[in-house]
Amino acid sequence: MDFGIFYNKDARPGVAAGLLRGGFYDVQPTVDTVPGNYLGKGPDVYYTLNHYDVTNSEPRIATYIGIALGQIPSAHYFATMRVFPDTCEWSWQEQQPVGEHRSYEGIDVFEGAYTYRGMRIVPSWGGDMFESLMPDLFVPEASWAPKAWGINHPLTVRAQREFGMEDAKYGYWGFSPASHPNGGYSEWGVDALGMSSDGYPSDVERTSVDKGFGDCRPAANPTPAWGDGVVTPHAAFLAMEYETREAYDNLVRIEKNLGAYGQGGFFDAVAVKSGTIARRYLSLDQAMVLGALGNVFGDDVIRRNFVRGEVERVIKPLIAVEEFSAGLVDS
């Protein structure tokens, strides 16, 4: 597969590299699309209207693969945004980021971060564990980029734990898209750690926090009352790389106190106050469970096999140079 089929070099005018399209159809659908072919060979395809423009999101695994294979320019990694700008034109986002600008491969990168409980964190779109940590199952981001992911990943896990235990007081933690305990599928996350103004909710009631955006937008709901929180076990497994004991203890409580465990392992999600369990096993979420266990208890077995050859040679020096604005806030 040539990942260059997704790469639109003109997605960010005035920037030295482009972005990846969200996908394409090979037959024209009834929804709006953009016809084209970025490879310049074969028939045209019908691209979705969106691009992946956020760094801390699961599509960066496609970025790593495409760059490692020479199908996407390495500068594309820095064309994605760590956080959206801090100006009033972007005040729809969850909070006003703080940080500074740095240049990599000729691209000006706003190294911004969100502030939460004394931590500065580069947020994901929805504030969930999957977007932040799924690519880390395959690429050892924390050790390869110690000034970037090496700071951000542990703080993301800490923030999820502190939200579940201290802020929302659910008694459990780990929030990531999964089944809905009342049926269907839903996004789950820590709203304050997501760029989307609505955020991914952490409870059945879809409670949203709104602390405003500096002088541009006043706070509408800075101290919400949280409801029937929904924890997703695969999120706790993803966290195990960075807080092994805490994640294990959390999973033990989910199993013993909430009964969210069956013949196939942990069920996909559970609402902690009502005790309602989504009695399903999603292959995607089970794969993250197994991958996390393989890395933590199998000497990085997933990573070791994935990064052999071009991935380590190309991606390691690429991401090693970056410095996020993540870290602890000086008191």
Side-chain angles (χ1 to χ4, degrees), residues 5 13 25 51 55 74 79 91 95 97 115 134 144 159 168 178 183-184 191 198 220 233 239 241 256 262 272 275 300:
I5 190 66
Y25 302 85
H51 292 87
T55 307
S74 58
S91 63
Q95 66 170 265
T115 305
M134 186 282 291
W144 284 7
D191 185 13
D198 294 333
E241 175 76 19
K256 291 186 175 181
V272 300
D300 274 352

Side-chain angles (χ1 to χ4, degrees), residues 26-215:
D26 60 349
V27 177
Q28 187 171 11
T30 56
V31 298
D32 290 338
T33 54
V34 177
N37 189 318
Y38 298 137
L39 293 178
K41 57 184 178 182
D44 276 1
V45 296
Y46 301 91
Y47 289 107
T48 61
L49 301 183
N50 69 303
H51 292 87
Y52 288 120
D53 56 359
V54 173
T55 307
N56 193 8
S57 189
E58 77 277 6
R60 75 177 177 275
I61 193 65
T63 291
Y64 290 150
I65 296 171
I67 292 174
L69 295 175
Q71 298 165 349
I72 300 172
S74 58
H76 158 66
Y77 179 72
F78 298 110
T80 57
M81 287 183 276
R82 279 63 190 153
V83 75
F84 294 127
D86 58 356
T87 59
C88 288
E89 291 84 353
W90 295 83
S91 63
W92 56 265
Q93 63 180 301
E94 185 66 38
Q95 66 170 265
Q96 190 167 31
V98 294
E100 56 189 85
H101 290 257
R102 297 189 179 93
S103 180
Y104 309 96
E105 298 208 14
I107 296 177
D108 177 69
V109 176
F110 175 40
E111 294 286 8
Y114 280 7
T115 305
Y116 177 71
R117 292 184 62 86
M119 296 171 274
R120 294 257 166 86
I121 297 173
V122 176
S124 64
W125 175 250
D128 59 286
M129 208 77 90
F130 167 70
E131 287 181 288
S132 294
L133 293 179
M134 186 282 291
D136 188 57
L137 288 177
F138 300 92
V139 175
E141 294 177 309
S143 60
W144 284 7
K147 294 182 179 181
W149 300 115
I151 298 172
N152 212 67
H153 287 335
L155 289 181
T156 295
V157 171
R158 174 181 164 182
Q160 284 238 345
R161 173 175 52 79
E162 290 190 3
F163 170 77
M165 301 300 290
E166 303 295 333
D167 278 4
K169 300 188 184 304
Y170 292 144
Y172 311 87
W173 57 278
F175 310 90
S176 196
S179 299
H180 195 297
N182 295 329
Y185 187 85
S186 186
E187 306 95 346
W188 308 107
V190 177
D191 185 13
L193 300 177
M195 283 190 248
S196 172
S197 57
D198 294 333
Y200 291 173
S202 65
D203 58 12
V204 172
E205 294 81 0
R206 301 189 67 84
T207 302
S208 178
V209 61
D210 183 357
K211 296 188 177 182
F213 193 93
D215 296 329

